[in-house]
């Protein structure tokens, strides 16, 4: 792809969670805090995983089905279902990445926490990243 820069492909948009720019005494006008590049993708992944399908009124199918596992036992079966759900959601809702691997396992230090490790590659430049998302079960 010629002529497409990293920031052009990855985009720039509002940071998540939404916040105002830091105060600047030389510039009294504060705008919405923006983010771009790899950080925008990390925030998008967190937003996808943190949203249960049905939460968004105008896009009820958006999100990840991991929230159905909140009251499940924190074991290998739940970890497998969560891994599959994360892979499906990211493949569907985050077109800027290729999901390389998703591995979920109970946190050895917290019996109510499932650690979801996501390895992905950005399509624009083939850079590899990983993100660990903690998911809490009852």
């Amino acid at each position: 792809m010629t002529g497409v820069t990293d920031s052009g492909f990855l985009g720039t948009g509002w940071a998540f969670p939404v916040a105002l720019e830091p105060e600047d005494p030389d510039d009294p006008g504060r705008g919405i805090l923006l983010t771009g590049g790899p950080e925008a993708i990390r925030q998008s992944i967190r937003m996808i995983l943190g949203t249960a399908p049905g939460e968004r009124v105008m896009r009820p199918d958006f999100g990840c089905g991991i929230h159905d596992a909140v009251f499940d036992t924190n074991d290998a079966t739940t970890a497998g279902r969560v891994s599959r759900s994360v892979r499906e959601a990211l493949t569907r809702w985050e077109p800027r990445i290729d999901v390389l691997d998703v591995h979920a396992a109970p946190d050895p230090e917290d019996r109510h926490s499932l650690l979801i490790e996501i390895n992905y590659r950005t399509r624009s430049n083939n850079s590899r990243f990983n993100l660990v998302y903690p998911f809490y079960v009852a």
Side-chain angles (χ1 to χ4, degrees):
M1 292 170 58
T2 59
V4 176
T5 64
D6 224 17
S7 62
F9 181 78
L10 298 180
T12 300
W14 287 18
F16 180 79
V18 177
L20 293 176
E21 293 177 325
E23 289 190 46
D24 182 359
D26 297 329
D27 183 13
R30 292 174 66 189
I32 298 294
L33 186 62
L34 299 177
T35 188
E39 181 59 26
I41 291 177
R42 276 190 291 280
Q43 290 180 9
S44 174
I45 290 170
R46 290 186 174 283
M47 188 180 333
I48 293 165
L49 298 183
T51 304
E55 273 189 78
R56 290 199 170 177
V57 176
M58 301 301 284
R59 176 82 60 169
D61 52 341
F62 178 82
C64 183
I66 61 176
H67 305 278
D68 294 339
V70 167
F71 296 108
D72 290 353
T73 305
N74 192 4
D75 59 11
T77 302
T78 300
R81 271 199 338 269
V82 165
S83 294
R84 184 175 54 255
S85 189
V86 167
R87 179 181 292 277
E88 289 170 359
L90 293 179
T91 300
R92 180 172 185 190
W93 296 111
E94 186 45 79
R96 299 173 291 180
I97 66 170
D98 290 317
V99 179
L100 302 174
D101 189 37
V102 177
H103 178 73
D107 184 347
E109 296 178 16
D110 181 3
R111 66 185 186 102
H112 296 291
S113 180
L114 188 65
L115 299 177
I116 305 167
E117 181 182 350
I118 304 156
N119 295 297
Y120 62 95
R121 177 178 49 230
T122 57
R123 290 181 175 177
S124 65
N125 60 10
N126 287 329
S127 294
R128 292 176 180 241
F129 298 93
N130 74 343
L131 180 137
V132 176
Y133 185 84
F135 179 69
Y136 301 98
V137 294

